[in-house]
Amino acid sequence: MFFMPDRSVIQLSGDGSHTVISKIFEDVTYHSKHGAIAESNIVFIDAGLKYHFKKGKNKISIFEMGFGTGLNALLSFLWSNDNNVRIDYQTVEAYPIDSSVFNNLNYSDILGAKQVFESFHNLDWNQNHIITEQFNFKKHLSLIEDLSIDKCFDVVFYDAFAPSSQPHLWELPILNKMYQILNDGGVLVSYCAQGAFKRNLKSCGFTIESIPGPPGKREMTRAIKIT
């Protein structure tokens, strides 16, 4: 563990990959202490991206709630490259991490694609960027409640801080916004399995699945939009 100049803390998680401890939101971590890469792969890639890909699409659009460290974007890029599937990836972040933090994360040391990972953080906000022919990327610098979203997506990675830290992000107004931006048959995935969260998703119109979670969590949530 070591402190960065902006007082963020980089910490090793259980699988050897880094997580970051937030100094804004009461020392909560960006990922599971049991394994950052393991958690992101299980929650977002396996339960979200791969699940939707089974429907036979060769182009998938993803909206990520909480860009954070950029790990989910990197894993999605690598999956896109490995599987020859086009991905349109958009993400929103209100509190970007400092360059002194993301430049010291070890994701590229483990996964590769260092230049791509750095570009995710260094590219201009609120602009469309063609990373490769198969991966389109846009990051919005905004609070989610202030963001106007002008398209629909196949998958939502719901990766906000826990309800105890940002309770309004787990309540009906924001979750209904997620429902509205999903295509029919689209999925929302989250590490959170809280009962109130699942009830709110159901109130929005989602069909809820409680599925096995990543290391350290018995369950996680997948919500499907069926109209």
PDB file of all heavy atoms in Angstrom, residues 50-81:
ATOM      1  N   LYS A  50     -20.098 -11.224 -22.262  1.00  0.00           N
ATOM      2  CA  LYS A  50     -20.173 -12.565 -22.852  1.00  0.00           C
ATOM      3  C   LYS A  50     -21.611 -13.076 -22.879  1.00  0.00           C
ATOM      4  O   LYS A  50     -22.021 -13.750 -23.834  1.00  0.00           O
ATOM      5  CB  LYS A  50     -19.288 -13.540 -22.068  1.00  0.00           C
ATOM      6  CG  LYS A  50     -17.806 -13.315 -22.246  1.00  0.00           C
ATOM      7  CD  LYS A  50     -17.015 -14.397 -21.499  1.00  0.00           C
ATOM      8  CE  LYS A  50     -15.520 -14.192 -21.623  1.00  0.00           C
ATOM      9  NZ  LYS A  50     -14.765 -15.237 -20.880  1.00  0.00           N
ATOM     10  N   TYR A  51     -22.373 -12.777 -21.852  1.00  0.00           N
ATOM     11  CA  TYR A  51     -23.777 -13.204 -21.800  1.00  0.00           C
ATOM     12  C   TYR A  51     -24.545 -12.638 -22.984  1.00  0.00           C
ATOM     13  O   TYR A  51     -25.291 -13.357 -23.661  1.00  0.00           O
ATOM     14  CB  TYR A  51     -24.396 -12.755 -20.484  1.00  0.00           C
ATOM     15  CG  TYR A  51     -25.879 -13.017 -20.375  1.00  0.00           C
ATOM     16  CD1 TYR A  51     -26.360 -14.253 -19.949  1.00  0.00           C
ATOM     17  CD2 TYR A  51     -26.801 -12.019 -20.695  1.00  0.00           C
ATOM     18  CE1 TYR A  51     -27.722 -14.489 -19.839  1.00  0.00           C
ATOM     19  CE2 TYR A  51     -28.161 -12.247 -20.596  1.00  0.00           C
ATOM     20  CZ  TYR A  51     -28.616 -13.485 -20.175  1.00  0.00           C
ATOM     21  OH  TYR A  51     -29.972 -13.712 -20.082  1.00  0.00           O
ATOM     22  N   HIS A  52     -24.346 -11.353 -23.256  1.00  0.00           N
ATOM     23  CA  HIS A  52     -25.071 -10.746 -24.379  1.00  0.00           C
ATOM     24  C   HIS A  52     -24.542 -11.242 -25.718  1.00  0.00           C
ATOM     25  O   HIS A  52     -25.303 -11.397 -26.674  1.00  0.00           O
ATOM     26  CB  HIS A  52     -24.981  -9.223 -24.316  1.00  0.00           C
ATOM     27  CG  HIS A  52     -25.959  -8.542 -25.207  1.00  0.00           C
ATOM     28  ND1 HIS A  52     -27.284  -8.383 -24.874  1.00  0.00           N
ATOM     29  CD2 HIS A  52     -25.837  -8.027 -26.453  1.00  0.00           C
ATOM     30  CE1 HIS A  52     -27.922  -7.782 -25.851  1.00  0.00           C
ATOM     31  NE2 HIS A  52     -27.059  -7.554 -26.834  1.00  0.00           N
ATOM     32  N   PHE A  53     -23.254 -11.513 -25.787  1.00  0.00           N
ATOM     33  CA  PHE A  53     -22.658 -11.986 -27.036  1.00  0.00           C
ATOM     34  C   PHE A  53     -23.250 -13.333 -27.457  1.00  0.00           C
ATOM     35  O   PHE A  53     -23.326 -13.646 -28.651  1.00  0.00           O
ATOM     36  CB  PHE A  53     -21.142 -12.109 -26.870  1.00  0.00           C
ATOM     37  CG  PHE A  53     -20.431 -12.648 -28.083  1.00  0.00           C
ATOM     38  CD1 PHE A  53     -20.424 -11.937 -29.278  1.00  0.00           C
ATOM     39  CD2 PHE A  53     -19.764 -13.863 -28.044  1.00  0.00           C
ATOM     40  CE1 PHE A  53     -19.766 -12.426 -30.394  1.00  0.00           C
ATOM     41  CE2 PHE A  53     -19.105 -14.359 -29.149  1.00  0.00           C
ATOM     42  CZ  PHE A  53     -19.103 -13.636 -30.332  1.00  0.00           C
ATOM     43  N   LYS A  54     -23.703 -14.119 -26.507  1.00  0.00           N
ATOM     44  CA  LYS A  54     -24.302 -15.417 -26.824  1.00  0.00           C
ATOM     45  C   LYS A  54     -25.553 -15.270 -27.684  1.00  0.00           C
ATOM     46  O   LYS A  54     -26.006 -16.238 -28.298  1.00  0.00           O
ATOM     47  CB  LYS A  54     -24.639 -16.167 -25.535  1.00  0.00           C
ATOM     48  CG  LYS A  54     -23.421 -16.653 -24.766  1.00  0.00           C
ATOM     49  CD  LYS A  54     -23.828 -17.351 -23.473  1.00  0.00           C
ATOM     50  CE  LYS A  54     -22.615 -17.813 -22.689  1.00  0.00           C
ATOM     51  NZ  LYS A  54     -22.985 -18.446 -21.402  1.00  0.00           N
ATOM     52  N   LYS A  55     -26.090 -14.068 -27.756  1.00  0.00           N
ATOM     53  CA  LYS A  55     -27.271 -13.840 -28.579  1.00  0.00           C
ATOM     54  C   LYS A  55     -26.921 -13.715 -30.056  1.00  0.00           C
ATOM     55  O   LYS A  55     -27.801 -13.530 -30.892  1.00  0.00           O
ATOM     56  CB  LYS A  55     -28.002 -12.578 -28.098  1.00  0.00           C
ATOM     57  CG  LYS A  55     -28.491 -12.701 -26.647  1.00  0.00           C
ATOM     58  CD  LYS A  55     -29.252 -11.467 -26.213  1.00  0.00           C
ATOM     59  CE  LYS A  55     -29.731 -11.621 -24.772  1.00  0.00           C
ATOM     60  NZ  LYS A  55     -30.533 -10.459 -24.317  1.00  0.00           N
ATOM     61  N   GLY A  56     -25.622 -13.798 -30.370  1.00  0.00           N
ATOM     62  CA  GLY A  56     -25.202 -13.862 -31.763  1.00  0.00           C
ATOM     63  C   GLY A  56     -24.885 -12.538 -32.412  1.00  0.00           C
ATOM     64  O   GLY A  56     -24.766 -12.464 -33.636  1.00  0.00           O
ATOM     65  N   LYS A  57     -24.715 -11.473 -31.632  1.00  0.00           N
ATOM     66  CA  LYS A  57     -24.425 -10.171 -32.211  1.00  0.00           C
ATOM     67  C   LYS A  57     -22.930 -10.032 -32.481  1.00  0.00           C
ATOM     68  O   LYS A  57     -22.099 -10.511 -31.710  1.00  0.00           O
ATOM     69  CB  LYS A  57     -24.880  -9.059 -31.267  1.00  0.00           C
ATOM     70  CG  LYS A  57     -26.371  -9.068 -30.987  1.00  0.00           C
ATOM     71  CD  LYS A  57     -26.801  -7.852 -30.229  1.00  0.00           C
ATOM     72  CE  LYS A  57     -26.693  -6.592 -31.060  1.00  0.00           C
ATOM     73  NZ  LYS A  57     -27.271  -5.409 -30.392  1.00  0.00           N
ATOM     74  N   ASN A  58     -22.590  -9.373 -33.581  1.00  0.00           N
ATOM     75  CA  ASN A  58     -21.176  -9.119 -33.871  1.00  0.00           C
ATOM     76  C   ASN A  58     -20.789  -7.673 -33.586  1.00  0.00           C
ATOM     77  O   ASN A  58     -19.669  -7.253 -33.871  1.00  0.00           O
ATOM     78  CB  ASN A  58     -20.835  -9.476 -35.321  1.00  0.00           C
ATOM     79  CG  ASN A  58     -21.636  -8.674 -36.325  1.00  0.00           C
ATOM     80  OD1 ASN A  58     -22.393  -7.774 -35.949  1.00  0.00           O
ATOM     81  ND2 ASN A  58     -21.479  -8.999 -37.589  1.00  0.00           N
ATOM     82  N   LYS A  59     -21.719  -6.906 -33.013  1.00  0.00           N
ATOM     83  CA  LYS A  59     -21.431  -5.555 -32.555  1.00  0.00           C
ATOM     84  C   LYS A  59     -22.218  -5.320 -31.274  1.00  0.00           C
ATOM     85  O   LYS A  59     -23.423  -5.556 -31.222  1.00  0.00           O
ATOM     86  CB  LYS A  59     -21.825  -4.525 -33.617  1.00  0.00           C
ATOM     87  CG  LYS A  59     -21.502  -3.094 -33.210  1.00  0.00           C
ATOM     88  CD  LYS A  59     -21.868  -2.104 -34.312  1.00  0.00           C
ATOM     89  CE  LYS A  59     -21.532  -0.680 -33.885  1.00  0.00           C
ATOM     90  NZ  LYS A  59     -21.894   0.316 -34.938  1.00  0.00           N
ATOM     91  N   ILE A  60     -21.531  -4.864 -30.248  1.00  0.00           N
ATOM     92  CA  ILE A  60     -22.150  -4.697 -28.933  1.00  0.00           C
ATOM     93  C   ILE A  60     -21.845  -3.293 -28.417  1.00  0.00           C
ATOM     94  O   ILE A  60     -20.715  -2.814 -28.503  1.00  0.00           O
ATOM     95  CB  ILE A  60     -21.630  -5.751 -27.939  1.00  0.00           C
ATOM     96  CG1 ILE A  60     -22.017  -7.158 -28.404  1.00  0.00           C
ATOM     97  CG2 ILE A  60     -22.169  -5.500 -26.535  1.00  0.00           C
ATOM     98  CD1 ILE A  60     -21.448  -8.278 -27.557  1.00  0.00           C
ATOM     99  N   SER A  61     -22.864  -2.646 -27.882  1.00  0.00           N
ATOM    100  CA  SER A  61     -22.687  -1.325 -27.286  1.00  0.00           C
ATOM    101  C   SER A  61     -22.769  -1.444 -25.766  1.00  0.00           C
ATOM    102  O   SER A  61     -23.651  -2.123 -25.228  1.00  0.00           O
ATOM    103  CB  SER A  61     -23.734  -0.343 -27.808  1.00  0.00           C
ATOM    104  OG  SER A  61     -25.041  -0.853 -27.617  1.00  0.00           O
ATOM    105  N   ILE A  62     -21.831  -0.783 -25.079  1.00  0.00           N
ATOM    106  CA  ILE A  62     -21.715  -0.869 -23.626  1.00  0.00           C
ATOM    107  C   ILE A  62     -21.737   0.528 -23.028  1.00  0.00           C
ATOM    108  O   ILE A  62     -21.064   1.432 -23.527  1.00  0.00           O
ATOM    109  CB  ILE A  62     -20.407  -1.568 -23.212  1.00  0.00           C
ATOM    110  CG1 ILE A  62     -20.364  -3.009 -23.723  1.00  0.00           C
ATOM    111  CG2 ILE A  62     -20.239  -1.557 -21.683  1.00  0.00           C
ATOM    112  CD1 ILE A  62     -19.017  -3.688 -23.531  1.00  0.00           C
ATOM    113  N   PHE A  63     -22.503   0.692 -21.951  1.00  0.00           N
ATOM    114  CA  PHE A  63     -22.439   1.908 -21.149  1.00  0.00           C
ATOM    115  C   PHE A  63     -21.953   1.521 -19.761  1.00  0.00           C
ATOM    116  O   PHE A  63     -22.537   0.657 -19.110  1.00  0.00           O
ATOM    117  CB  PHE A  63     -23.796   2.598 -21.043  1.00  0.00           C
ATOM    118  CG  PHE A  63     -23.736   3.880 -20.253  1.00  0.00           C
ATOM    119  CD1 PHE A  63     -23.326   5.057 -20.858  1.00  0.00           C
ATOM    120  CD2 PHE A  63     -24.069   3.907 -18.907  1.00  0.00           C
ATOM    121  CE1 PHE A  63     -23.254   6.239 -20.135  1.00  0.00           C
ATOM    122  CE2 PHE A  63     -24.000   5.078 -18.174  1.00  0.00           C
ATOM    123  CZ  PHE A  63     -23.588   6.253 -18.791  1.00  0.00           C
ATOM    124  N   GLU A  64     -20.893   2.186 -19.317  1.00  0.00           N
ATOM    125  CA  GLU A  64     -20.340   1.898 -17.995  1.00  0.00           C
ATOM    126  C   GLU A  64     -20.647   3.045 -17.046  1.00  0.00           C
ATOM    127  O   GLU A  64     -20.270   4.190 -17.288  1.00  0.00           O
ATOM    128  CB  GLU A  64     -18.825   1.700 -18.079  1.00  0.00           C
ATOM    129  CG  GLU A  64     -18.178   1.425 -16.723  1.00  0.00           C
ATOM    130  CD  GLU A  64     -16.665   1.457 -16.782  1.00  0.00           C
ATOM    131  OE1 GLU A  64     -16.102   2.127 -17.672  1.00  0.00           O
ATOM    132  OE2 GLU A  64     -16.049   0.819 -15.914  1.00  0.00           O
ATOM    133  N   MET A  65     -21.289   2.717 -15.949  1.00  0.00           N
ATOM    134  CA  MET A  65     -21.560   3.693 -14.896  1.00  0.00           C
ATOM    135  C   MET A  65     -20.389   3.682 -13.927  1.00  0.00           C
ATOM    136  O   MET A  65     -20.282   2.808 -13.079  1.00  0.00           O
ATOM    137  CB  MET A  65     -22.869   3.330 -14.183  1.00  0.00           C
ATOM    138  CG  MET A  65     -23.170   4.161 -12.959  1.00  0.00           C
ATOM    139  SD  MET A  65     -23.173   5.914 -13.278  1.00  0.00           S
ATOM    140  CE  MET A  65     -22.616   6.521 -11.704  1.00  0.00           C
ATOM    141  N   GLY A  66     -19.468   4.642 -14.108  1.00  0.00           N
ATOM    142  CA  GLY A  66     -18.300   4.749 -13.245  1.00  0.00           C
ATOM    143  C   GLY A  66     -17.034   4.267 -13.926  1.00  0.00           C
ATOM    144  O   GLY A  66     -16.664   3.100 -13.803  1.00  0.00           O
ATOM    145  N   PHE A  67     -16.352   5.150 -14.673  1.00  0.00           N
ATOM    146  CA  PHE A  67     -15.127   4.770 -15.385  1.00  0.00           C
ATOM    147  C   PHE A  67     -14.024   4.344 -14.427  1.00  0.00           C
ATOM    148  O   PHE A  67     -13.297   3.388 -14.680  1.00  0.00           O
ATOM    149  CB  PHE A  67     -14.668   5.945 -16.247  1.00  0.00           C
ATOM    150  CG  PHE A  67     -13.370   5.724 -16.953  1.00  0.00           C
ATOM    151  CD1 PHE A  67     -13.223   4.691 -17.874  1.00  0.00           C
ATOM    152  CD2 PHE A  67     -12.281   6.555 -16.717  1.00  0.00           C
ATOM    153  CE1 PHE A  67     -12.016   4.487 -18.539  1.00  0.00           C
ATOM    154  CE2 PHE A  67     -11.081   6.365 -17.376  1.00  0.00           C
ATOM    155  CZ  PHE A  67     -10.948   5.328 -18.288  1.00  0.00           C
ATOM    156  N   GLY A  68     -13.886   5.060 -13.320  1.00  0.00           N
ATOM    157  CA  GLY A  68     -12.958   4.658 -12.266  1.00  0.00           C
ATOM    158  C   GLY A  68     -11.524   4.506 -12.722  1.00  0.00           C
ATOM    159  O   GLY A  68     -10.910   5.415 -13.265  1.00  0.00           O
ATOM    160  N   THR A  69     -10.985   3.314 -12.531  1.00  0.00           N
ATOM    161  CA  THR A  69      -9.589   3.035 -12.887  1.00  0.00           C
ATOM    162  C   THR A  69      -9.400   2.705 -14.359  1.00  0.00           C
ATOM    163  O   THR A  69      -8.269   2.610 -14.827  1.00  0.00           O
ATOM    164  CB  THR A  69      -9.056   1.847 -12.073  1.00  0.00           C
ATOM    165  OG1 THR A  69      -9.793   0.658 -12.429  1.00  0.00           O
ATOM    166  CG2 THR A  69      -9.161   2.096 -10.574  1.00  0.00           C
ATOM    167  N   GLY A  70     -10.499   2.485 -15.079  1.00  0.00           N
ATOM    168  CA  GLY A  70     -10.400   2.101 -16.490  1.00  0.00           C
ATOM    169  C   GLY A  70     -10.243   0.613 -16.715  1.00  0.00           C
ATOM    170  O   GLY A  70     -10.087   0.168 -17.859  1.00  0.00           O
ATOM    171  N   LEU A  71     -10.307  -0.174 -15.657  1.00  0.00           N
ATOM    172  CA  LEU A  71     -10.095  -1.620 -15.791  1.00  0.00           C
ATOM    173  C   LEU A  71     -11.174  -2.278 -16.642  1.00  0.00           C
ATOM    174  O   LEU A  71     -10.870  -3.116 -17.500  1.00  0.00           O
ATOM    175  CB  LEU A  71     -10.042  -2.274 -14.406  1.00  0.00           C
ATOM    176  CG  LEU A  71      -9.913  -3.798 -14.372  1.00  0.00           C
ATOM    177  CD1 LEU A  71      -8.692  -4.276 -15.146  1.00  0.00           C
ATOM    178  CD2 LEU A  71      -9.879  -4.303 -12.932  1.00  0.00           C
ATOM    179  N   ASN A  72     -12.434  -1.919 -16.441  1.00  0.00           N
ATOM    180  CA  ASN A  72     -13.508  -2.548 -17.222  1.00  0.00           C
ATOM    181  C   ASN A  72     -13.375  -2.231 -18.707  1.00  0.00           C
ATOM    182  O   ASN A  72     -13.641  -3.074 -19.562  1.00  0.00           O
ATOM    183  CB  ASN A  72     -14.877  -2.094 -16.713  1.00  0.00           C
ATOM    184  CG  ASN A  72     -15.176  -2.598 -15.321  1.00  0.00           C
ATOM    185  OD1 ASN A  72     -14.652  -3.616 -14.895  1.00  0.00           O
ATOM    186  ND2 ASN A  72     -16.007  -1.870 -14.603  1.00  0.00           N
ATOM    187  N   ALA A  73     -12.963  -1.000 -19.014  1.00  0.00           N
ATOM    188  CA  ALA A  73     -12.760  -0.623 -20.413  1.00  0.00           C
ATOM    189  C   ALA A  73     -11.615  -1.421 -21.024  1.00  0.00           C
ATOM    190  O   ALA A  73     -11.696  -1.897 -22.163  1.00  0.00           O
ATOM    191  CB  ALA A  73     -12.484   0.871 -20.521  1.00  0.00           C
ATOM    192  N   LEU A  74     -10.532  -1.604 -20.279  1.00  0.00           N
ATOM    193  CA  LEU A  74      -9.392  -2.373 -20.783  1.00  0.00           C
ATOM    194  C   LEU A  74      -9.776  -3.822 -21.032  1.00  0.00           C
ATOM    195  O   LEU A  74      -9.448  -4.394 -22.089  1.00  0.00           O
ATOM    196  CB  LEU A  74      -8.236  -2.302 -19.793  1.00  0.00           C
ATOM    197  CG  LEU A  74      -6.989  -3.118 -20.159  1.00  0.00           C
ATOM    198  CD1 LEU A  74      -6.389  -2.652 -21.482  1.00  0.00           C
ATOM    199  CD2 LEU A  74      -5.957  -3.063 -19.036  1.00  0.00           C
ATOM    200  N   LEU A  75     -10.471  -4.442 -20.106  1.00  0.00           N
ATOM    201  CA  LEU A  75     -10.886  -5.834 -20.282  1.00  0.00           C
ATOM    202  C   LEU A  75     -11.843  -5.972 -21.471  1.00  0.00           C
ATOM    203  O   LEU A  75     -11.771  -6.957 -22.216  1.00  0.00           O
ATOM    204  CB  LEU A  75     -11.552  -6.352 -19.005  1.00  0.00           C
ATOM    205  CG  LEU A  75     -10.615  -6.569 -17.815  1.00  0.00           C
ATOM    206  CD1 LEU A  75     -11.417  -6.885 -16.558  1.00  0.00           C
ATOM    207  CD2 LEU A  75      -9.615  -7.703 -18.095  1.00  0.00           C
ATOM    208  N   SER A  76     -12.714  -5.003 -21.656  1.00  0.00           N
ATOM    209  CA  SER A  76     -13.636  -5.045 -22.799  1.00  0.00           C
ATOM    210  C   SER A  76     -12.874  -4.905 -24.113  1.00  0.00           C
ATOM    211  O   SER A  76     -13.187  -5.587 -25.100  1.00  0.00           O
ATOM    212  CB  SER A  76     -14.677  -3.929 -22.676  1.00  0.00           C
ATOM    213  OG  SER A  76     -15.472  -4.102 -21.527  1.00  0.00           O
ATOM    214  N   PHE A  77     -11.891  -4.018 -24.132  1.00  0.00           N
ATOM    215  CA  PHE A  77     -11.061  -3.865 -25.331  1.00  0.00           C
ATOM    216  C   PHE A  77     -10.339  -5.171 -25.664  1.00  0.00           C
ATOM    217  O   PHE A  77     -10.322  -5.608 -26.825  1.00  0.00           O
ATOM    218  CB  PHE A  77     -10.044  -2.749 -25.127  1.00  0.00           C
ATOM    219  CG  PHE A  77      -8.974  -2.724 -26.181  1.00  0.00           C
ATOM    220  CD1 PHE A  77      -9.212  -2.156 -27.421  1.00  0.00           C
ATOM    221  CD2 PHE A  77      -7.729  -3.302 -25.943  1.00  0.00           C
ATOM    222  CE1 PHE A  77      -8.235  -2.161 -28.409  1.00  0.00           C
ATOM    223  CE2 PHE A  77      -6.748  -3.315 -26.918  1.00  0.00           C
ATOM    224  CZ  PHE A  77      -7.004  -2.740 -28.158  1.00  0.00           C
ATOM    225  N   LEU A  78      -9.746  -5.795 -24.672  1.00  0.00           N
ATOM    226  CA  LEU A  78      -9.011  -7.039 -24.902  1.00  0.00           C
ATOM    227  C   LEU A  78      -9.942  -8.139 -25.390  1.00  0.00           C
ATOM    228  O   LEU A  78      -9.594  -8.909 -26.292  1.00  0.00           O
ATOM    229  CB  LEU A  78      -8.297  -7.470 -23.617  1.00  0.00           C
ATOM    230  CG  LEU A  78      -7.158  -6.555 -23.165  1.00  0.00           C
ATOM    231  CD1 LEU A  78      -6.700  -6.937 -21.759  1.00  0.00           C
ATOM    232  CD2 LEU A  78      -5.991  -6.615 -24.139  1.00  0.00           C
ATOM    233  N   TRP A  79     -11.149  -8.214 -24.810  1.00  0.00           N
ATOM    234  CA  TRP A  79     -12.118  -9.220 -25.243  1.00  0.00           C
ATOM    235  C   TRP A  79     -12.544  -8.952 -26.685  1.00  0.00           C
ATOM    236  O   TRP A  79     -12.655  -9.879 -27.487  1.00  0.00           O
ATOM    237  CB  TRP A  79     -13.335  -9.220 -24.315  1.00  0.00           C
ATOM    238  CG  TRP A  79     -14.286 -10.326 -24.608  1.00  0.00           C
ATOM    239  CD1 TRP A  79     -14.298 -11.580 -24.081  1.00  0.00           C
ATOM    240  CD2 TRP A  79     -15.380 -10.285 -25.546  1.00  0.00           C
ATOM    241  NE1 TRP A  79     -15.326 -12.318 -24.622  1.00  0.00           N
ATOM    242  CE2 TRP A  79     -16.006 -11.547 -25.528  1.00  0.00           C
ATOM    243  CE3 TRP A  79     -15.876  -9.299 -26.389  1.00  0.00           C
ATOM    244  CZ2 TRP A  79     -17.102 -11.856 -26.315  1.00  0.00           C
ATOM    245  CZ3 TRP A  79     -16.967  -9.600 -27.183  1.00  0.00           C
ATOM    246  CH2 TRP A  79     -17.572 -10.862 -27.137  1.00  0.00           C
ATOM    247  N   SER A  80     -12.787  -7.704 -27.022  1.00  0.00           N
ATOM    248  CA  SER A  80     -13.149  -7.328 -28.385  1.00  0.00           C
ATOM    249  C   SER A  80     -12.070  -7.754 -29.370  1.00  0.00           C
ATOM    250  O   SER A  80     -12.362  -8.312 -30.437  1.00  0.00           O
ATOM    251  CB  SER A  80     -13.356  -5.811 -28.456  1.00  0.00           C
ATOM    252  OG  SER A  80     -13.460  -5.364 -29.788  1.00  0.00           O
ATOM    253  N   ASN A  81     -10.838  -7.491 -29.023  1.00  0.00           N
ATOM    254  CA  ASN A  81      -9.716  -7.834 -29.893  1.00  0.00           C
ATOM    255  C   ASN A  81      -9.575  -9.340 -30.058  1.00  0.00           C
ATOM    256  O   ASN A  81      -9.346  -9.847 -31.163  1.00  0.00           O
ATOM    257  CB  ASN A  81      -8.435  -7.240 -29.319  1.00  0.00           C
ATOM    258  CG  ASN A  81      -7.274  -7.295 -30.297  1.00  0.00           C
ATOM    259  OD1 ASN A  81      -7.365  -6.801 -31.408  1.00  0.00           O
ATOM    260  ND2 ASN A  81      -6.179  -7.905 -29.873  1.00  0.00           N
TER     261      ASN A  81
END
